[in-house]
Amino acid sequence: MGRIGYEFALLFFIYSFLGWMTETVVKSLAEKKFVNRGFFNGPFCYIYGFAGVLMSIFFVDLRSRPVFLFIGCAALATAIEWFTGKLLERLNYHKWWDYSKKKWNFDGYICLQYSVLWGILGVLALKYVNRFFIGLFDFLPALVRGVLVWVLVAVGILDGIASFAAVFRIKKGMGAIYRWNSKVDRWTYRFGKWIVSRVEKRMFKAYPSIKNEKTVVTKKNLSFAAGCGFYKLFWLFFLGAFLGDLVETVFCRFSMGRWMSRSSLVWGPFSLVWGLAIVLATVLLYKDREKPDRHIFFVGTVLGGVYEYVCSVFTEIVFGKIFWDYSKIPFNLGGRINLLFCLFWGIAAVVWIKILYPRISWLIERIPVTPGKIITWVAVVFMAVNMCVSMLALIRYDSRAKGVEAQSRWEQYMDEHFDDARMEMIYPSAKPTPKGGIAK
């Protein structure tokens, strides 16, 4: 773990602790007794840690533009909060928090007032708090910094194991059967049960809804890809990636006067940005499909802009390449997004939710169950291999640009099958990215 890795790990645990302390103090004052609000047993709310670190990675370039920094932080943290809530609900079929009684809430997991708070906290963190804590961290000797971070990581892992064990125990009930063959097994079982029981009791105190709320029972549907499960979402991703690539290719033909590849992968016309966008739009906006078009348009414009900005930063960090640059388009933000394309995201959200999704969803569900599952898993394997090969080809493409010779067999394979000429044909807009700091 390098210097930047240690800094991000430190920020992760600091923000996790500050988030836990804030929620615990607020809840304890409201209940007039101590309430440990963390999902984990220790003094950490890791959702704050993840949000703080991701903001520090993706929005460092916006520190001099507080309005856009606020919007980005608010949108990213709100999405993290929503996905965390849905994930925990999937684990044991209960809501761990519920904002349903608050105005401007969505799905009971997020609401406007907390999104605004997330944005304010994000601005403060990136402009002032990061610099302060990293400055303190730099005063410590290198050995002490390393020991501190690894101890926190170990504690977090052990705490996570106990906490998730408690969650699955809550889900399955108290009637688990265990057989032991020796005294060691018996004492190990009792010790583990004691730890899980304590964590379980703390969860019941911090989140009473997971004990009192009735389990949600869903009616089974025998059709293929019913509801919004894995099969449906995968095919939406697959079709969205294909159609998105097609739309971008045609758009470039008419706007630039030439045909050019817009694919994210080395095999096939697939744009991962569009595929993921279709899945996220479906998950986030489908429940609002009955609301006015202007509502979906506004949400799609904001979230689409934040999503494209995050994708731009992510690809630059991972692959060392800039895959699109809007610097020459008016009203752009760092060349990563621009107002016109953000409006396109809003229009695409309305068209998708109101018109296309119901029809495509109906067609996917008409696929026979057995052939559908077989075809799906073949496509999953193909896309997984395609992504891995594309990632290795891009890494090697960047290394060749820096003059690094191929040494291992996979590097030689990439040089032979994905040379510069082929990569330039697949990624004609890719160019090297300037290097810079992130956390500071």
Side-chain angles (χ1 to χ4, degrees):
M1 185 185 294
R3 179 186 179 84
I4 293 180
Y6 280 115
E7 291 177 353
F8 280 139
L10 174 73
L11 292 177
F12 173 79
F13 285 105
I14 287 176
Y15 287 128
S16 297
F17 172 73
L18 293 177
W20 170 86
M21 185 172 64
T22 302
E23 290 218 6
T24 298
V25 169
V26 172
K27 188 65 175 180
S28 297
L29 291 176
E31 299 288 336
K32 297 182 179 180
K33 62 178 182 179
F34 177 77
V35 180
N36 184 351
R37 284 289 291 174
F39 168 77
F40 293 86
N41 203 41
F44 299 108
C45 279
Y46 291 137
I47 184 174
Y48 289 87
F50 280 116
V53 169
L54 291 179
M55 289 176 188
S56 300
I57 293 174
F58 292 125
F59 301 132
V60 64
D61 293 339
L62 299 180
R63 286 180 298 187
S64 61
R65 312 183 76 169
V67 174
F68 292 106
L69 178 60
F70 168 82
I71 294 173
C73 291
L76 179 62
T78 299
I80 293 173
E81 185 178 23
W82 186 86
F83 280 112
T84 301
K86 296 299 288 185
L87 174 62
L88 292 175
E89 181 181 345
R90 286 292 184 92
L91 288 176
N92 75 335
Y93 310 118
H94 294 89
K95 283 192 172 183
W96 289 70
W97 63 86
D98 192 353
Y99 301 148
S100 299
K101 296 181 180 179
K102 296 183 181 295
K103 197 173 183 180
W104 304 105
N105 79 86
F106 175 75
D107 209 20
Y109 284 119
I110 56 177
C111 64
L112 180 61
Q113 65 189 78
Y114 287 130
S115 295
V116 172
L117 179 61
W118 277 115
I120 295 173
L121 293 176
V123 172
L124 293 176
L126 268 70
K127 290 183 71 68
Y128 308 107
V129 181
N130 282 6
R131 196 171 303 165
F132 172 76
F133 282 115
I134 291 176
L136 291 179
F137 191 57
D138 288 342
F139 276 110
L140 298 176
L143 178 61
V144 176
R145 293 200 298 262
V147 171
L148 175 63
V149 168
W150 283 111
V151 167
L152 289 172
V153 169
V155 171
I157 292 174
L158 293 175
D159 196 4
I161 293 173
S163 299
F164 278 106
V167 168
F168 285 113
R169 173 169 165 159
I170 294 171
K171 178 179 178 179
K172 294 182 178 179
M174 303 297 291
I177 298 175
Y178 184 89
R179 292 188 177 92
W180 49 78
N181 299 318
S182 67
K183 290 184 178 181
V184 174
D185 292 337
R186 180 177 299 181
W187 283 109
T188 301
Y189 167 72
R190 289 180 177 176
F191 179 68
K193 184 178 179 181
W194 177 79
I195 294 176
V196 172
S197 297
R198 289 183 63 85
V199 177
E200 186 182 74
K201 290 178 182 178
R202 186 200 61 74
M203 288 182 176
F204 285 149
K205 290 181 180 179
Y207 303 94
S209 61
I210 65 174
K211 183 176 182 180
N212 300 326
E213 187 178 337
K214 292 183 179 179
T215 299
V216 178
V217 180
T218 56
K219 189 175 181 180
K220 289 186 177 181
N221 193 321
L222 297 179
S223 65
F224 175 73
C228 199
F230 169 78
Y231 292 106
K232 174 72 67 60
L233 292 178
F234 172 78
W235 281 109
L236 292 179
F237 165 77
F238 189 92
L239 294 174
F242 174 76
L243 294 176
D245 182 273
L246 180 64
V247 169
E248 282 206 22
T249 301
V250 174
F251 177 80
C252 289
R253 173 64 181 85
F254 285 99
S255 62
M256 300 181 183
R258 63 190 179 96
W259 295 103
M260 60 185 296
S261 170
R262 302 298 296 170
S263 178
S264 304
L265 304 177
V266 295
W267 296 324
F270 299 104
S271 174
L272 298 184
V273 172
W274 278 97
L276 291 174
I278 289 297
V279 171
L280 291 175
T282 303
V283 172
L284 292 174
L285 295 176
Y286 183 67
K287 286 191 175 182
D288 282 358
R289 63 189 181 279
E290 302 301 331
K291 292 188 176 181
D293 292 352
R294 62 179 179 275
H295 170 86
I296 297 176
F297 172 78
F298 175 76
V299 176
T301 299
V302 175
L303 293 184
V306 173
Y307 169 73
E308 188 172 16
Y309 191 98
V310 169
C311 288
S312 173
V313 177
F314 176 80
T315 52
E316 289 182 28
I317 293 174
V318 175
F319 302 115
K321 297 287 183 182
I322 296 176
F323 289 92
W324 59 86
D325 186 0
Y326 304 142
S327 299
K328 297 181 180 179
I329 300 178
F331 304 107
N332 74 86
L333 184 59
R336 303 182 189 278
I337 59 175
N338 64 83
L339 180 59
L340 177 61
F341 287 2
C342 286
L343 296 177
F344 284 167
W345 281 113
I347 295 172
V350 175
V351 172
W352 173 252
I353 294 299
K354 294 284 188 176
I355 301 174
L356 297 180
Y357 174 77
R359 293 166 173 78
I360 294 178
S361 176
W362 182 85
L363 289 175
I364 293 175
E365 292 182 7
R366 299 283 78 76
I367 300 175
V369 177
T370 301
K373 291 184 176 180
I374 295 174
I375 296 172
T376 298
W377 284 107
V378 171
V380 167
V381 172
F382 166 73
M383 290 299 285
V385 173
N386 200 356
M387 290 179 192
C388 290
V389 173
S390 300
M391 180 179 66
L392 294 176
L394 283 167
I395 292 174
R396 185 59 198 146
Y397 184 32
D398 183 56
S399 298
R400 284 198 302 269
K402 297 176 181 177
V404 179
E405 296 292 333
Q407 297 181 356
S408 60
R409 294 190 63 180
W410 75 267
E411 291 176 320
Q412 296 170 1
Y413 180 88
M414 292 300 154
D415 286 355
E416 180 181 351
H417 293 84
F418 300 98
D419 56 15
D420 289 348
R422 183 173 180 182
M423 295 299 287
E424 289 171 3
M425 183 177 63
I426 299 174
Y427 306 104
S429 301
K431 61 182 181 180
T433 178
K435 294 183 178 180
I438 296 176
K440 293 186 179 181

